[in-house]
Structure formats: structure tokens, C-alpha cells
Amino acid sequence: MKRHLLFLVLLSCTLFSAGTSHTMTIKLGVVTKPGSAQNIVAEKFKETVEAQSRGEIEVKIYHSSSIGTETEILQQIQMGTIQMGIVTAGPFDTFDPIVRVINYPFLFKDHDQADAVLDGPLGRQILDSLESSGFKGLCFSENGFRNLTNDKRPVRGPADIKGLKIRVMDSALHRAIWQALGANPTPMPWPIYTELEQGVIDGQENPLWVMEVYKFYEVQRYMTLTRHVYSPHIDVASLTWWQTLSAEKQNFLQKAMYDAALFQRRENRSNNARRLQLLKKNGFIVEENPDTVSLREAIADLKEIELYQQPQVKEMLLKVLEATR
């Protein structure tokens, strides 16, 4: 890590010599509010880039859905209206279906396994595939293992999920997962606190940090630690914009984003035990040992659905399933 930081410092001295007057502004979009996982990456990236470039690159963060939903942020990155984004993997599947592979349910056993795959050659293949849709895939940061909450009843297995109206991302795969589990999946843009409070939806599924930052314990009673999907964020740039940069600037920004992602992953994981205790203290009734055997059985045939039948998607899924056995 020290060697990596020294490299960034030396590189910045080469790139941003005294006397340069032009300032480049990077517009970076996230849908969540300050304190959220995406924002932690964005803010660390901003801090690193502006410090190491000695002010020659400015990063302007657009947060809290100020420029649209995650799908709309991706569309703006494609068009070059904004340069970068930190976006949940789910909405990418409408742009590049290969991303569905990393959202496959019960794929990763733990964080170490997720890191080994996503930071390795298979993860790089998925990031490189995004170029066909106009994105430069930089790296993966972390949303986390997703868990179910609802305000109707305790949930231990599929029988308890049946009929629950669950908010999902704008993702065909996430809809398919919850349909297989017997729920009524309802795509809905972020944020969703009001919809939960008013009973428009019965529940939602997200990592623990979301329940803390958005105070879902105020409007939801039951949580089940399903850990049904490991949800990464994909940190991307506009490919058209990226190709206008020098190789040196590309390398500088790539390394700065990866360092920010590593920082955020460590921060996120180190706080999960504390978050769980806080959520219990604030009223969540938590099922810590759900019937994961039945949950897995309910989605066992998911790899056979149409969403995974495109040859390149099916091939990548089989590779990742083999890597996570």
C-alpha cells in the first residue's frame, strides 16, 4: 500500500507540474446521500485526485439523485454529459447483460471470495465488456451482501416471503430472483423511505449500511439475514471521455479509484457488526439463521432462465460458478 501511494505521488508530480493553469472538472454521479457506500468511494476519490493533482483536476460529486436515477446516471455517462459514476451493479444489466453474472444469487460465500473473483481476471473481463455499451469499467467497490426487511411478518424461508410486495432495483434479474422466491417484486427508484412508511411496498432488500443510513428501522419491523446476493458497485467512466485522456492521466485516475474502492470496502466491512447491533437496538426483529437451504432450492433453476441464455453470458456464468465452488 505504501509503495502504491508513493507511485501516485510521483506520478502526480510528473503529470501536474508547476505553471499549469488549466483545470479539468470531472462530474461524478451517485444516487445516494452523503455517508452512503457510493459516496464514501466518491469522496475518497475526490480527496485523492484533487490532492495528488495539486488542484489541476476538480471532482464535482452529484449525489442524492440530484441528476436522476441510477439508470439515468448511466445514460448520462454514455452520452458524456457527466464523466464518471459509482452505480449499483443491478441497473447495468439493461446495458450489458454480462453483469447479471455477478448478481447471481448465493454466488459468493464471503467477502474474500468476492474479492478474489472481482479483482481477478474474471472481474476484469466483465469490466472490459462494458466498453461495448460506452463505459470504461474501472473497478468494483462494495454495496454488500443484501438482506430482506419487511413490515408484515417474520421471514425464515420462501413460504414466509410468498406474496410480499418487495421493492427491487430496475433489474430484470432482481425481479426474477424475487419472483422465484414467491414475492411480488416491484421496481422502484431510490429513495424509498416514504413508500415504506406509507405501505406502498411491504419491504425491501439491501445491505446493512442502507438500513442504518436511511433509518429503515423507523418504518420496517422485521429483518432476515438472507445474504441472497453480494452486491458490488461498478465504478465507471464515459468511454468517449476516457479515450480523450492521456495514458498517464488514465493510469492516475484508475489507481485513484481503485484505492478509493479498497478504502470503502474495508470501512464497510469493519462496521457491519456494529450496524447489526444498532439495528436491533432500534427495533428490528432479526432472523439471523434463515432456512437458506430452502431459499437456495427456490432459485436453483435460475441459471436456466432466458436472462442467462446469451452465449457470452452463459459462458461467463459457468466460469464464475466454477471459480466459486
Side-chain angles (χ1 to χ4, degrees):
M1 183 60 70
K2 289 182 179 178
R3 184 184 299 174
H4 199 61
L5 180 59
L6 177 61
F7 176 82
L8 274 177
V9 173
L10 293 174
L11 180 62
S12 68
C13 291
T14 302
L15 288 172
F16 310 108
S17 57
T20 303
S21 59
H22 177 68
T23 299
M24 179 173 75
T25 298
I26 296 174
K27 297 177 181 178
L28 190 158
V30 296
V31 76
T32 48
K33 66 183 181 180
S36 302
Q38 295 99 314
N39 300 67
I40 291 169
V41 181
E43 289 158 11
K44 189 66 174 178
F45 175 74
K46 174 182 172 71
E47 174 190 322
T48 301
V49 167
E50 292 183 350
Q52 298 296 335
S53 72
R54 294 186 289 174
E56 294 303 328
I57 300 179
E58 175 192 21
V59 179
K60 188 169 183 180
I61 300 170
Y62 293 84
H63 60 78
S64 305
S65 302
S66 60
I67 56 172
T69 65
E70 289 194 306
T71 297
E72 289 165 343
I73 287 172
L74 290 174
Q75 290 168 341
Q76 290 173 72
I77 293 170
Q78 280 182 317
M79 294 185 293
T81 308
I82 61 173
Q83 286 73 48
M84 301 181 80
I86 298 164
V87 179
T88 313
F92 276 92
D93 73 7
T94 61
F95 297 88
D96 186 347
I98 205 166
V99 176
R100 295 169 188 157
V101 168
I102 55 177
N103 282 313
Y104 194 78
F106 299 108
L107 179 63
F108 298 116
K109 299 178 180 68
D110 52 33
H111 292 115
D112 288 344
Q113 192 177 64
D115 289 347
V117 171
L118 297 180
D119 288 343
L122 293 176
R124 174 44 57 188
Q125 286 181 47
I126 292 168
L127 291 173
D128 289 346
S129 174
L130 295 172
E131 293 192 8
S132 64
S133 301
F135 304 110
K136 171 61 181 178
L138 299 175
C139 58
F140 297 95
S141 52
E142 178 171 278
N143 199 6
F145 282 98
R146 305 180 78 89
N147 299 294
L148 174 66
T149 73
N150 83 98
D151 202 41
K152 290 291 187 183
R153 55 182 175 265
V155 169
R156 190 165 187 275
D160 306 314
I161 294 172
K162 188 174 182 180
L164 289 177
K165 191 173 184 179
I166 303 298
R167 179 266 175 184
V168 296
M169 292 180 287
D170 184 13
S171 162
L173 174 60
H174 279 259
R175 290 196 297 273
I177 291 170
W178 288 100
Q179 285 170 347
L181 290 170
N184 177 13
T186 306
M188 190 174 289
W190 199 258
I192 60 170
Y193 183 98
T194 300
E195 288 78 6
L196 290 169
E197 184 178 36
Q198 295 176 350
V200 176
I201 46 178
D202 299 322
Q204 58 86 49
E205 44 87 50
N206 262 301
L208 294 179
W209 73 262
V210 176
M211 280 67 128
E212 177 190 22
V213 171
Y214 286 89
K215 299 183 178 180
F216 283 173
Y217 48 79
E218 296 177 344
V219 291
Q220 296 273 271
R221 187 177 181 190
Y222 304 104
M223 179 191 297
T224 306
L225 300 185
T226 49
R227 293 169 60 89
H228 53 278
V229 165
Y230 175 77
S231 178
H233 294 131
I234 307 182
D235 309 333
V236 295
S238 162
L239 183 61
T240 301
W241 169 75
W242 187 261
Q243 290 173 339
T244 68
L245 304 177
S246 67
E248 291 80 9
K249 277 194 172 69
Q250 290 177 352
N251 196 37
F252 174 71
L253 294 173
Q254 171 83 58
K255 290 181 181 297
M257 184 61 84
Y258 183 60
D259 280 351
L262 291 179
F263 172 86
Q264 181 266 332
R265 287 188 217 166
R266 290 192 297 268
E267 191 277 342
N268 192 43
R269 295 166 190 181
S270 67
N271 278 294
N272 276 334
R274 175 195 61 78
R275 287 180 181 128
L276 183 58
Q277 293 309 309
L278 180 145
L279 294 170
K280 289 178 179 179
K281 182 179 179 181
N282 281 281
F284 261 120
I285 299 170
V286 181
E287 172 55 70
E288 297 191 50
N289 297 291
D291 182 2
T292 54
V293 172
S294 294
L295 292 171
R296 287 170 180 269
E297 287 176 352
I299 55 87
D301 295 331
L302 207 65
K303 62 179 177 292
E304 305 302 332
I305 64 175
E306 185 178 352
L307 294 174
Y308 285 113
Q309 297 315 301
Q310 293 183 26
Q312 71 274 22
V313 177
K314 191 166 189 175
E315 180 183 3
M316 180 59 70
L317 178 61
L318 292 176
K319 288 180 180 179
V320 174
L321 288 172
E322 179 63 29
T324 55
R325 277 187 200 281

